[in-house]
Amino acid sequence: MNEFVISSGHAKVVRGASGYLDEVNEARKIVPKVAEYLKDLDCKVHTFNDDTSKTQRGNINTIVKYYNSKNRDLDVSIHFNAGTKETGGTKVLYYGDGNKALAAKVSKAISEALGIKDRGAKKRTDLGFLK
């Protein structure tokens, strides 16, 4: 059985992108839906929303601490970025080269399901969550 941890990325107070949509509100709608789909596939899923952090650093530390408290095969953090129809789309970030193919597959699936541009898999080694 695969085991996942999924979070809504930012914190209740540390909001993330806003304007066209509110990143925290929208991510918190997506997390339980993704968890539901994974459970239907007989996966074990832990979900997390940070309601306590007051700073970006505190938010990252709180999320990482939660993830590291769980046995899991894969970490998922739901985010929405500010963008336009021309610059928007989906991308999946990964840390190690061993996860590039999976990240590309997930990005493509999201793109096809939503009918939006596939911006692909993006390697990021500078993000606290991915480290």
Side-chain angles (χ1 to χ4, degrees):
M1 174 188 314
N2 289 324
E3 194 164 341
F4 299 85
V5 178
I6 305 171
S7 74
S8 56
H10 295 279
K12 192 173 189 177
V13 175
V14 185
R15 301 297 293 179
S18 64
Y20 181 71
L21 56 76
D22 184 286
E23 183 172 10
V24 172
N25 292 346
E26 297 308 314
R28 287 177 181 223
K29 292 175 187 175
I30 299 297
V31 167
K33 290 291 186 187
V34 172
E36 182 181 315
Y37 293 135
L38 289 169
K39 288 176 184 176
D40 287 346
L41 297 171
D42 293 324
C43 297
K44 184 172 182 180
V45 182
H46 307 275
T47 61
F48 181 71
N49 294 311
D50 182 0
D51 291 333
T52 61
S53 297
K54 307 289 187 222
T55 65
Q56 185 176 10
R57 174 56 47 202
N59 175 236
I60 292 168
N61 291 341
T62 298
I63 289 171
V64 169
K65 183 178 178 180
Y66 181 82
Y67 278 76
N68 288 340
S69 74
K70 305 296 181 195
N71 291 320
R72 76 268 188 218
D73 300 300
L74 189 67
D75 298 334
V76 178
S77 183
I78 306 294
H79 290 267
F80 294 91
N81 293 335
T84 66
K85 186 174 182 177
E86 293 77 29
T87 63
T90 187
K91 65 183 172 186
V92 174
L93 307 180
Y94 67 95
Y95 184 82
D97 291 333
N99 292 318
K100 183 178 182 178
L102 177 60
K105 186 176 180 178
V106 171
S107 185
K108 182 179 179 186
I110 292 169
S111 169
E112 289 174 354
L114 298 178
I116 58 177
K117 181 179 178 179
D118 180 7
R119 296 178 62 208
K122 307 291 183 200
K123 185 173 185 177
R124 293 286 301 268
T125 58
D126 60 324
L127 298 175
F129 173 78
L130 292 178
K131 289 181 181 181

